[in-house]
Amino acid sequence: MKPMLFSYLLLSIFPFCSAELYRAEAERIMNETPLIDGHNDLPWQLLKKFNNRLSVAPANLTLLNDTHTSIPKLRSGRVGGQFWAAYVPCDTQNKDAVKRTLEQIDVIHRMCDKYPEAFVCVTNSTGIEDAFQAKKVASLIGVEGGHSMDSSLGTLRTFYRLGVRYMTLSHSCNTPWVDNWLVDTDQEQPVHNGLSQFGKRVVREMNRLGMLVDLAHVSVRTMADALEVSKAPVIFSHSSAYELCRSRRNVPDDILRRVNETGGLVMVNFYNMYVSCNKEAANLSQVADHLDHVKKVAGSAAVGFGGDYDGVPTLPQGLEDVSKYPELIAELLRRKWTEAEVKAALAMNLLRVFKKAEEVRDSLSQEPPDDEPIAYEELEGQCRTSYGYPARAKASTPSVLPAALIIPLLYSLLL
């Protein structure tokens, strides 16, 4: 008798032990198919708490107890794959965003180096599957915010060579080429009405590289533009369903339907403000509601998990840290999700999208890199040079009055 059928028979006979049975079934499934999470901000915590010094004793990832994430918690949560966020805030834009992002990429690599028994840094779908077999956390890098590349396609390509496998097109700020989610509120005004022409080129270059296009944090118009331009499926690495919580950080139903049509993925965020729209109160069941909604509108192949652990101040009751994932899977089983649907959400959907992005990359292998820079006039900030760009017209210098005219003028002012 299949384990799933046996569990259902037990539940019908002994309903009082249903919670334990669902939890046991969740653990069995997750031992076979570990969870891949789309977004975790532990590297940001390492910067804030320790200035990225993994060598100091309090930064021991096996002993951390004041973060949502640690090695023991990941193991308890059956997390087998993690996109670690290389995040730097918007106030670095036009300043030191690239340097700061490189430092966050570096600390992720050093996590893998320092804890090889727990983490293995990988850059492709095969690497994830190999890590599953080795019982390690497949560690991938996502750059959270297009401001990190400073409008440079060369920087984008360098990020890829350093192991970055997705980039969120914006964080909570516009860049010279993309509008963020705040333009759909009364806090900011649209600048590009989605993606600029250069922004569309960024998406195409990401396709050529095999880097996933992440639409968390972008405006609805940007979502639509990217879905139109991208040849590979897109992801939302940490966003929930707008229909259930009307935060503009969430994904509206019309976009969910486009995700279904294009084979993309929505990895549901756990932040209270995007789950219940109440910063102080949310629960595990409400997160399951978002997963149900994405499955209903976009299909079971579009569902994933993007907890946003260590990047948010409040989390739902029952999902306080990464160790709690089996409780959420048990709730989905209680809601009659099939084993195939659960495994798809756990890992198979992300692997499918990743493999498709790799197929698109391979199909574009004869395409040359896009080496046309953004127009200098589209850039912002005073702290940049213009090397390589055509000489700009110099501001006209004010004409100087001849001395013969200055002396009489000064004399008249003194009278």
Side-chain angles (χ1 to χ4, degrees), residues 68 111 113 120 126 134 141 169 246 262 358 406:
H68 302 146
M111 285 167 53
D113 293 341
V120 55
T126 301
I141 303 172
L169 296 188
R246 299 208 161 196
T262 55
E358 291 167 344
I406 291 176

Side-chain angles (χ1 to χ4, degrees), residues 166-180:
Y166 80 60
M167 184 176 74
T168 318
L169 296 188
S170 75
H171 197 255
S172 298
C173 53
N174 295 334
T175 76
W177 48 273
V178 62
D179 287 343
N180 82 102

